[in-house]
Amino acid sequence: MREVNKERMLAEFKEIVAIPCHGRQERVVADVLYKKLEELGFSIKEDDAGEKLGGNCGNVWAFLPGNKPGAKRILLSAHMDGVEPCGGTTVIQKDGVLYSDGTTILAGDDKSGVVGILEALRMLKEDNAEHGDIQVLFTICEEGGVNGSRCMNKAFLDSDVAYALDGEGAPGEIVVGAPGQYYYKIGIHGKKAHGGVEPEKGINSIMIAAKALAAVKRYGRIDEETTCNIGIIHGGEATNIVPDLVEIQGDVRSRNPQKLEALRDEVVNTICETAEACGAKVTKEVVLRYNPFYIEKDQLVVTLAERACEMFGFTPDVTQTGGGSDANFINAYGVPCAILGTGMSNVHTVEEFLKEEDLYNSALMAYGILLAAAE
């Protein structure tokens, strides 16, 4: 059975996670990936997503023409940014598992996807294997709202199917459904007054916010496909001032569009109406971050991934997730896109870890899809 070059792949993972990858500051890592893709024979483009988002880099697109007529066109994607604290990661190896030294995230989310794609492309080249047209998309600003893919140049998309290597399951995981998300920010405006001299002249926005939040009856896990989170509350200046402003931020998610809109209205209206009934004024901002997607299990994007599992002995796990990713927008823009597991665990924390086996198998999974597309 074909194997990856483990030494090369591990060295590249350590190299790339050591590069700063803050959102809107992906230029350095993008330049490194430019060079690697050019060495593999790809032509490179960069879109204007960075300009739209106030960053120093756009999404990186790479293209390699196929060498087998009629083979399926494949897009492989991963994101370049990471959550804080990121960049300058020192990788610690222990018993076949990769960790950071505890001062940063490991950045397996999503450098495991980046490195998996690069190794799969090298294997294809080394084997002189037949393949269809290949697109690679390395995105910016995935963390914190999937903004890089939202702002991508849709005209660059030119594939039959796509795969985002950005899932937490082990290789063999094939995610075919994900929720949409509404973000909301609600301002509860009371009236400022001296808290000791004349509190009766004030309208306490914190107490009103507490009543408004207590009126929200459904939050957390609503059902298997729907969630609600109240994530940020901020207000007040000092203990001797009746607070005149509280801001509440949160999101609702569901894989069902009707449930998503109904829960949005329920949560936002409950908070706003309760606050107004208590004498506060209310401002609100409600934004659709991304739409849900679902792919039927008999679609090409799924069957090619299942064929890759068959090639390398992985157990396919066709499933759905509760988080958003670049796949939401790739699907929305017309290319069926599944999410592939790369084994990343405890992501978004300094306790993040990644099994070496999963890192190597991520490359095999991507490589198998490229081979299956040419069968």
Side-chain angles (χ1 to χ4, degrees):
M1 182 185 295
R2 181 67 157 92
E3 294 186 353
V4 304
N5 185 324
K6 295 180 181 179
E7 182 177 348
R8 175 177 66 193
M9 194 175 181
L10 183 57
E12 186 163 66
F13 179 78
K14 291 179 179 179
E15 172 197 0
I16 293 179
V17 298
I19 301 170
C21 58
H22 314 289
R24 296 180 175 83
Q25 299 294 319
E26 298 95 344
R27 179 79 273 158
V28 177
V29 67
D31 288 343
V32 170
L33 297 178
Y34 257 71
K35 183 177 180 181
K36 291 177 181 291
L37 289 165
E38 286 174 340
E39 290 172 351
L40 287 163
F42 282 75
S43 58
I44 316 292
K45 295 180 181 179
E46 185 174 321
D47 66 23
D48 62 354
E51 296 177 23
K52 294 176 180 176
L53 295 168
N56 65 1
C57 173
N59 298 308
V60 174
W61 300 77
F63 178 76
L64 183 71
N67 58 18
K68 182 178 181 181
K72 300 301 181 183
R73 302 171 300 162
I74 304 295
L75 169 67
L76 299 175
S77 178
H79 63 87
M80 296 184 286
D81 62 314
V83 301
E84 301 297 338
C86 65
T89 296
T90 298
V91 177
I92 306 297
Q93 295 172 254
K94 182 179 179 181
D95 300 326
V97 182
L98 306 177
Y99 306 86
S100 76
D101 64 3
T103 62
T104 68
I105 60 168
L106 175 64
D109 179 13
D110 188 26
K111 301 310 188 303
S112 58
V114 171
V115 173
I117 291 170
L118 291 173
E119 182 64 19
L121 298 174
R122 290 195 185 95
M123 294 168 69
L124 196 75
K125 184 176 181 180
E126 291 167 353
D127 294 349
N128 196 27
E130 293 183 322
H131 61 86
D133 292 349
I134 301 172
Q135 274 194 300
V136 174
L137 170 59
F138 290 139
T139 62
I140 63 171
C141 297
E142 192 273 349
E143 304 291 2
V146 201
N147 289 307
S149 54
R150 175 177 62 85
C151 294
M152 72 167 65
N153 187 332
K154 298 185 288 292
F156 289 179
L157 280 171
D158 189 27
S159 296
D160 295 310
V161 295
Y163 301 89
L165 278 72
D166 192 20
E168 295 184 37
E173 179 187 64
I174 307 163
V175 178
V176 298
Q181 182 200 125
Y182 273 101
Y183 159 86
Y184 59 86
K185 180 168 73 173
I186 300 170
I188 296 177
H189 301 262
K191 183 179 179 182
K192 189 180 295 186
H194 193 289
V197 177
E198 47 186 10
E200 64 278 357
K201 292 185 177 181
I203 299 175
N204 192 309
S205 60
I206 289 179
M207 296 305 297
I208 292 173
K211 293 179 182 179
L213 291 174
V216 176
K217 301 304 181 185
R218 296 201 301 162
Y219 55 89
R221 170 69 62 188
I222 309 302
D223 57 39
E224 66 175 5
E225 61 183 0
T226 309
T227 61
C228 169
N229 187 52
I230 298 167
I232 299 173
I233 182 168
H234 176 78
E237 298 177 49
T239 59
N240 64 344
I241 300 174
V242 175
D244 65 339
L245 174 63
V246 167
E247 287 189 339
I248 299 168
Q249 297 180 56
D251 68 49
V252 295
R253 305 177 189 224
S254 183
R255 296 194 292 267
N256 180 299
Q258 289 75 36
K259 290 180 181 179
L260 178 65
E261 294 183 2
L263 186 60
R264 171 204 64 195
D265 292 344
E266 176 185 330
V267 172
V268 172
N269 291 345
T270 295
I271 295 172
C272 292
E273 291 171 5
T274 304
E276 289 172 339
C278 293
K281 295 181 179 179
V282 172
T283 57
K284 64 182 178 181
E285 176 187 0
V286 182
V287 178
L288 176 63
R289 285 280 174 82
Y290 43 81
N291 283 304
F293 75 86
Y294 179 73
I295 302 166
E296 296 292 342
K297 295 179 181 180
D298 61 352
Q299 295 298 300
L300 178 67
V301 67
V302 180
T303 59
L304 288 179
E306 289 176 327
R307 175 67 180 120
C309 290
E310 181 183 354
M311 289 180 189
F312 294 106
F314 305 144
T315 301
D317 177 20
V318 182
T319 186
Q320 299 187 58
T321 185
S325 74
D326 291 326
N328 286 74
F329 281 105
I330 295 172
N331 277 290
Y333 295 155
V335 177
C337 181
I339 305 166
L340 301 180
T342 66
M344 57 179 84
S345 299
N346 285 357
V347 298
H348 296 190
T349 75
V350 295
E351 287 80 34
E352 182 185 2
F353 67 90
L354 177 67
K355 294 179 181 178
E356 288 187 45
E357 178 184 19
D358 287 341
L359 177 66
Y360 306 140
N361 287 343
S362 297
L364 289 176
M365 189 71 188
Y367 180 58
I369 288 170
L370 296 174
L371 296 180
E375 288 184 335

